[in-house]
Amino acid sequence: MSRRLICLGLFLAWAVHDAEEVLTASWWSARVAPRLLAEGWPPAVVSGTTTPRFAVAAAIVGTAVLAAAIQGARTDGHSTFYRAAVVVFGWHGAVHVGQSLLVRAYVPGLMTAVLLVIPYAIVTRRHLSPDPVPTRTIVAVAIAAIALTVLAQATSHLLPA
């Protein structure tokens, strides 16, 4: 498989992962969020969502993931932005596992986090470049990803419930 296809695989892996999240968001909000709220979890942490809202947020985040994948493909996997995005994507998968353990239940995206996101990040990092990604680049991409996710979620809540 070509290095460029592997790089574009970031967007494909993200799309499959976010499809699982979109398809399970309303179900999870209706089934698990009420239990967590009853247990005293802060509403800001357990805010429910709907499938359309989650789809809007995913589309916003997807633009950044697509940009990283294209940059990776254009540089044959050598872009530090792309390689940092792969690291952060892998961390994102680990966050899903941690969330699931914390809430003692399935969380949207858990299955693809375990079966696709984390393996993609590990295999891609090993296959494309042995060079370390500068820590400051990983931190910058992680902060940007968190900020974009917060902005995407806030934007999605402008939609009617």
Side-chain angles (χ1 to χ4, degrees):
M1 180 176 293
S2 81
R3 294 169 64 90
R4 288 188 175 138
L5 284 177
I6 292 168
C7 294
L8 293 174
L10 172 63
F11 183 73
L12 179 61
W14 170 86
V16 170
H17 172 67
D18 266 46
E20 178 192 358
E21 290 181 315
V22 167
L23 293 172
T24 59
S26 292
W27 170 86
W28 185 88
S29 290
R31 182 163 183 244
V32 179
R35 174 182 60 86
L36 297 176
L37 291 169
E39 291 176 2
W41 285 70
V45 174
V46 188
S47 65
T49 191
T50 63
T51 297
R53 283 182 175 172
F54 205 98
V56 166
I60 293 169
V61 172
T63 61
V65 177
L66 181 59
I70 289 170
Q71 183 64 17
R74 286 178 41 185
T75 63
D76 210 28
H78 295 288
S79 161
T80 56
F81 168 54
Y82 163 75
R83 292 186 300 129
V86 170
V87 171
V88 172
F89 186 54
W91 290 352
H92 173 75
V95 166
H96 279 284
V97 174
Q99 289 171 326
S100 180
L101 293 171
L102 196 59
V103 302
R104 303 172 324 276
Y106 168 86
V107 295
L110 177 63
M111 300 309 289
T112 52
V114 172
L115 299 174
L116 182 62
V117 174
I118 296 169
Y120 172 83
I122 291 169
V123 170
T124 299
R125 289 270 302 135
R126 288 185 182 158
H127 183 73
L128 287 183
S129 177
D131 299 331
V133 180
T135 302
R136 68 175 183 245
T137 304
I138 295 171
V139 169
V141 169
I143 290 169
I146 292 166
L148 182 59
T149 299
V150 168
L151 175 66
Q153 290 293 332
T155 301
S156 75
H157 278 79
L158 296 175
L159 293 175

